[in-house]
Amino acid sequence: MKKLFSILMTTVLVFTIGGCAPRENTNQAPQGTDNNQTEEPTAQEQRTLQDIKVGFSQMENNGPWRIAETNSVRGEADKRGVQLVYTDAQSDTAKQVSDVEDLIAQGVDYIILAPREYEGLAPALESAKEAGIPVILIDREAKGDYLTLVVSDFIWEGQQAGVLLAEKTGGKANIVELSGTAGSSVAIDRANGFADTIKEYPDMKIISSQSADFSRAEGQKVMENIIQAKGKDITAVYAHNDEMAIGAIQALKAAGMEPGKDVIVISIDGQKDALKSIISGELFASIECSPFFGPIAFDIIERHLAGEAVEKKIINLDRIFTAENAEEFVDTAY
Ligand code: GYE
C-alpha cells in the first residue's frame, strides 16, 4: 500500500505556451501604435481583475461536487472583487452553447467554462474565438481553441481504480461499470484508464457497463436494473463518481447484497458522503478529483492580463482515499 501511495501522487504537468493579454474590448486601434504590432501594455493601461467582467458557464449545479466547484469559482470572484456573470446550463448541452453566446453578447472579457460534452461544446469555443474572448476550460475538456485547460488526470484516475480493485479482489471480479455523462471527456477517459488496467487481469471482467449520468438517483435506478439481470454474479462496482456509487450501494442493500463484503465498490471524487461510506465499510475507496478551480482560474486570468505566458494545460494534484486515511479527511471534505 505504501508503495502504491508514493506513485499515486500525480505531479503538476505544465506545458507552457506564449500568451499575451487581450486588447481592451474596443475596436479602436490604440493611438500612435502600429495595428499589426503587439505591444506590452504599460503599467498605467494594464487592466487588473477588478476592471474586468468574467463569465462563468457551469453545465449543471446538482450534487456536492458541482456545488463545491460553483462555490469555489463564485467565492474566489467575490474575494478578489471580480464582476462575475454566472450561468447554469441545467444539464443541457444546447443550453450551455447558448449560455456562452449570451456571455459573449454581454461583453465579458474572459469566460470560465465547465463544459458538459467534448464535441457538443465546440460551437461555444468557436464563438468565443471569433469574439476574441479567452476561455479557461475547467474540470472537463471541450473540442476547440482555448487559453488554458485545468483538469484532473482522468485516465490516471481510472487506472488507479483498476489497480486498487485488482489488489482488493485478488485480480478476480465481475464488475458493473456505472459511467458518467455520455460524450464527456471525463467519462471517456475514466472508462479507458480502467479498461486498460484490468486487461492485465484475465479474471477481471466488466459484465455490464451503463451510463448513470453522474447522478445518485440514476446510479440507484440503473444499478437496480442491472441487479435484476445479473444478481449474485456481481462482485464489484466501478462508478465514475461517488454520487453514482452511493446510489449503487443503496440498490445493493435494498436487494439484500452487502456492499464492502459481497460486492466491492470503488469510485472517484472524494466527497464527504463517500468518505463517510468508506469509514462505515461500504465504499472501498475513492480516487480524489478536486472541484476547487476558483483560485487557479483567477490566477490564470490575472497573469494573462499582466501579459505573462500561461500554461496550456494544468493537471490537478489528486490523492486517494481508503479506510487508511478517510477519517483524517472527512471533516474537511465537501
Ligand atoms: O467527477 C463528477 C461531476 O467533470 C470532473 O463531473 C467532473 C466530474 C466529477 O459531475 O462528480
Side-chain angles (χ1 to χ4, degrees), residues 60 65-66 139-140 154 186 190 214 240-241 269 289:
E60 67 187 15
W65 194 94
R66 231 144 254 286
D139 106 49
R140 291 181 192 172
F154 305 128
V186 52
R190 284 177 183 169
F214 283 125
H240 287 191
N241 79 347
D269 274 354
C289 179

